[in-house]
Amino acid sequence: MNFGFSFFMGFRYWRARKANAFASFITLFAVSGIFLGVAALIVVSSVMNGLEGQLKNRILGAVPQLTLVHQTGFDDWQAQATFLQQHKQLKNDIVGIVPSATTQGMLQSSANIAAAQVLGVYPELEQGLSSIISHTYSSAFDALTPGSYAIVLGSELARNLAVKTGDQIRILSGDGVVYSPLGPVPSQRKFTVAGVFEMGAQVDASVAYVHYQDARRLMRQDPDVISELRVYLTDPFNVASIAPLTTKLLQNQGVEATYRDWRADFGHLFAAVNMEKNMMSLMLSLIVAVAAFNIVSALVMMVVDKTTDVAVLKTQGLTTAAVMNIFIVQGSLNALLGLGLGTLIGVILSLNLNEILTTLGVSILGAGQTLPVQLSFAQLSVIIVGTLLITLIATIYPALRAAQVQPATALRYE
């Protein structure tokens, strides 16, 4: 007999009212478990994806994603940047390349002192690349001109230093240290606060921007030499494969450069977020696994109820594989019902989560704050396929039990 008959019988058993009320309850519990597990997994995964994406935009949009370093300076940085951007292996990965200067400094105001990463940039070249510019108050980046010694601070850093626009602060840089009879003396200059930026992340407390030439003078280096190139990437998470390739391509052009990337400073943060996302997915997947065990229980009880039917069908020539298919179909239909409902509700909740919370008057992050939600269809596919595999495996044991029914034994007293 073909699979069509097995599907027909499995569908009839699935639709029929079960004589055992407890088996009906177990079946309902299994379907509900898959429904709740899949829906919760989709919603939580979407929120975690949104959180990760938000952190990527707020943090990696403010700090150098990839920096190429040449000790003596790039002889023609524009030509080398164009070469990398237009190379067939990198043109889809690189958004832009601009000069950059980076130093770790101590910022001192009349009220406090704080450590920060000071980044030297050409504001006109950062347009359309850096997300900092769109998060800066009063177009403060326009005030970053060579020789003005103006500085743009993160909002939290400005609060820690208790400064506002127009105040002066002193920056001490360890990159410009000179040695005197009294010991090492760091390079230091006074800068005027031109404004603040606010990304809503930890970079607000640890990053400051100045003009490139002012940063080079602070470091006691030639302001006209370009020794660092800041590379903006389409996806900063791909830096592990892109960074070695850029230095290799430059080496083929006779330019010896090294690189450093965002993972040194912020890799631990994103690793922690990724681990948290994986652990949440694992815990919610256990709900689906428990529901799959309930499918096993419901099918085993169904096999016991239908032992006589199976014996009769086997005497009519039904093969062992066909008997297995009957109960696999029945269990799979329960799984598909729970999976379909869970996927539908999970997607609807994910796409309208903030509106639903607002309607219910629930504010998880506080007034005016919304949950970041990013529904990934690739991840949705993994959830659907994974649930189908788990539930399919769960139906195998009851189906084997049914296939092992001996007609002579089962019909002995009929």
Side-chain angles (χ1 to χ4, degrees):
M1 295 184 183
N2 57 26
F3 179 76
F5 178 79
S6 297
F7 180 83
F8 172 75
M9 291 299 299
F11 182 71
R12 287 293 300 271
Y13 282 165
W14 179 70
R15 286 190 59 191
R17 182 182 297 273
K18 298 173 178 59
N20 190 333
F22 186 67
S24 300
F25 172 76
I26 293 297
T27 301
L28 177 62
F29 193 76
V31 173
S32 301
I34 294 175
F35 158 66
L36 292 174
V38 170
L41 192 54
I42 292 172
V43 173
V44 172
S45 297
S46 299
V47 173
M48 294 301 294
N49 288 339
L51 174 63
E52 187 177 57
Q54 192 177 74
L55 285 176
K56 182 167 70 172
N57 292 333
R58 290 183 176 183
I59 294 179
L60 301 186
V63 300
Q65 301 166 3
L66 172 62
T67 303
L68 301 175
V69 182
H70 194 290
Q71 294 299 327
T72 59
F74 294 92
D75 52 358
D76 188 354
W77 74 267
Q78 291 176 319
Q80 287 145 8
T82 302
F83 165 73
L84 291 176
Q85 287 182 263
Q86 295 180 352
H87 196 277
K88 61 181 181 180
Q89 292 180 274
L90 293 174
K91 62 181 180 180
N92 294 326
D93 297 311
I94 295 179
V95 179
I97 302 177
V98 294
S100 176
T102 307
T103 182
Q104 299 294 331
M106 295 298 296
L107 280 60
Q108 182 181 19
S109 68
S110 58
N112 207 349
I113 187 170
Q117 185 181 47
V118 181
L119 302 176
V121 297
Y122 283 98
E124 63 275 13
L125 299 179
E126 298 286 330
Q127 298 290 336
L129 296 175
S130 176
S131 58
I132 284 288
I133 295 178
S134 60
H135 290 80
T136 303
Y137 298 106
S138 304
S139 302
F141 263 74
D142 295 339
L144 301 185
T145 56
S148 64
Y149 294 102
I151 185 170
V152 178
L153 303 173
S155 58
E156 187 65 26
L157 183 59
R159 280 192 288 269
N160 291 340
L161 295 173
V163 295
K164 60 183 184 300
T165 301
D167 291 347
Q168 285 194 328
I169 61 173
R170 184 180 299 275
I171 301 180
L172 294 85
S173 171
D175 288 315
V177 172
V178 295
Y179 293 90
S180 69
L182 299 178
V185 179
S187 173
Q188 54 181 302
R189 280 184 181 270
K190 283 187 176 182
F191 282 75
T192 302
V193 178
V196 297
F197 66 85
E198 187 166 15
M199 297 293 291
Q202 65 188 78
V203 293
D204 292 342
S206 59
V207 175
Y209 280 83
V210 299
H211 192 275
Y212 177 84
Q213 294 188 6
D214 292 347
R216 295 281 294 184
R217 292 190 181 97
L218 172 65
M219 299 159 63
R220 291 198 174 105
Q221 296 175 357
D222 188 343
D224 296 320
V225 173
I226 307 296
S227 60
E228 293 183 6
L229 293 178
R230 180 175 179 178
V231 183
Y232 286 92
L233 304 176
T234 305
D235 185 357
F237 285 177
N238 294 333
V239 71
S241 59
I242 297 173
L245 180 59
T246 56
T247 54
K248 181 180 179 180
L249 292 174
L250 288 176
Q251 188 177 18
N252 294 339
Q253 297 292 312
V255 180
E256 296 293 334
T258 58
Y259 72 86
R260 62 176 182 267
D261 58 66
W262 61 268
R263 292 174 298 172
D265 295 322
F266 297 98
H268 62 284
L269 173 62
F270 286 94
V273 171
N274 188 56
M275 182 181 68
E276 183 178 359
K277 181 171 69 172
N278 291 336
M279 291 304 297
M280 291 292 292
S281 298
L282 176 61
M283 287 189 293
L284 292 172
S285 297
L286 293 177
I287 298 177
V288 179
V290 170
F293 280 110
N294 289 329
I295 288 178
V296 174
S297 303
L299 282 182
V300 167
M301 285 186 282
M302 177 60 69
V303 169
V304 173
D305 286 343
K306 301 297 182 182
T307 298
T308 302
D309 293 1
V310 171
V312 171
L313 289 172
K314 292 189 77 171
T315 60
Q316 299 298 316
L318 196 67
T319 63
T320 299
V323 173
M324 289 185 63
N325 288 336
I326 289 174
F327 292 93
I328 289 176
V329 166
Q330 186 179 354
S332 297
L333 288 173
N334 288 330
L336 287 173
L337 178 60
L339 177 60
L341 291 174
T343 302
L344 178 63
I345 298 301
V347 171
I348 292 174
L349 286 176
S350 297
L351 295 178
N352 302 279
L353 185 58
N354 287 304
E355 289 80 359
I356 293 172
L357 291 176
T358 301
T359 302
L360 296 175
V362 178
S363 180
I364 296 177
L365 300 180
Q369 298 291 321
T370 59
L371 284 172
V373 179
Q374 183 179 337
L375 183 63
S376 170
F377 289 100
Q379 199 170 51
L380 183 62
S381 301
V382 171
I383 292 172
I384 292 173
V385 173
T387 302
L388 286 175
L389 288 176
I390 292 173
T391 52
L392 180 62
I393 292 172
T395 62
I396 292 177
Y397 172 72
L400 284 172
R401 285 283 304 272
Q404 292 170 357
V405 170
Q406 298 297 325
T409 303
L411 300 175
R412 179 178 301 172
Y413 302 107
E414 296 296 329

